[in-house]
Amino acid sequence: AAEAAVHGSFTMEYLLMGITTLIVLAGILAAYLMYMKKRSIPEKLAQKHPFSYRLLLNKWFVDELYEKIAINPLHALAVFSWKGIDVKVIDGLVNGTARFFMRCGGALKSIQTGYVQKYAVSFLFGAFAVIAYYLYLR
């Protein structure tokens, strides 16, 4: 009894399957008559009901609606993410960091000459500066 309440009766299922089969067969017969036997019927229907013909011809305008509701906003979001966030923010940070260190390297490369004598003099000058600071300025 509990299963019958959930699933319904077999008679109703067979009745609905029969009705569905009849509707499908009627559609096949109508299409056969309209497009194989009397090819003037679709043209007359299109002239008599232009709105319905255009609506059905354009598939209820589902594709156009989908393009306006989903595709165009997502495309705009993708372009904004690409040009606004990726190019300006992410690439700007990466390229700005690279430019900063290139400039620092360019400024510091004149200090590094490869001559040990210059390094020793610089070291001694720095050591004297630290000693002088602790002796006299502190």
Side-chain angles (χ1 to χ4, degrees):
E3 286 184 28
V6 173
H7 293 291
S9 68
F10 287 114
T11 308
M12 181 60 80
E13 288 182 23
Y14 285 117
L15 179 65
L16 291 174
M17 285 191 294
I19 291 171
T20 303
T21 304
L22 287 176
I23 291 172
V24 168
L25 291 174
I28 292 172
L29 178 64
Y32 175 76
L33 290 174
M34 288 173 63
Y35 293 104
M36 301 300 278
K37 290 290 184 182
K38 297 181 182 178
R39 294 184 178 212
S40 62
I41 293 176
E43 197 172 295
K44 289 177 185 175
L45 284 174
Q47 291 173 354
K48 190 174 180 182
H49 304 287
F51 177 76
S52 299
Y53 174 77
R54 186 163 180 246
L55 188 68
L56 293 173
L57 181 68
N58 289 302
K59 302 169 298 257
W60 298 81
F61 293 98
V62 171
D63 292 339
E64 289 80 2
L65 182 66
Y66 179 70
E67 185 174 353
K68 285 187 181 2
I69 290 175
I71 293 174
N72 290 343
L74 288 175
H75 182 263
L77 178 65
V79 168
F80 170 75
S81 297
W82 164 45
K83 291 184 178 179
I85 296 172
D86 183 41
V87 172
K88 291 185 179 176
V89 176
I90 296 172
D91 289 349
L93 285 171
V94 170
N95 294 336
T97 304
R99 274 192 300 276
F100 171 75
F101 284 107
M102 286 292 289
R103 288 183 182 147
C104 289
L108 294 174
K109 76 179 178 181
S110 63
I111 297 172
Q112 185 171 347
T113 61
Y115 295 114
V116 178
Q117 296 90 348
K118 286 188 179 182
Y119 298 151
V121 169
S122 298
F123 174 76
L124 288 175
F125 178 75
F128 285 132
V130 169
I131 291 170
Y133 172 77
Y134 279 107
L135 289 177
Y136 298 108
L137 298 177
R138 197 165 167 217

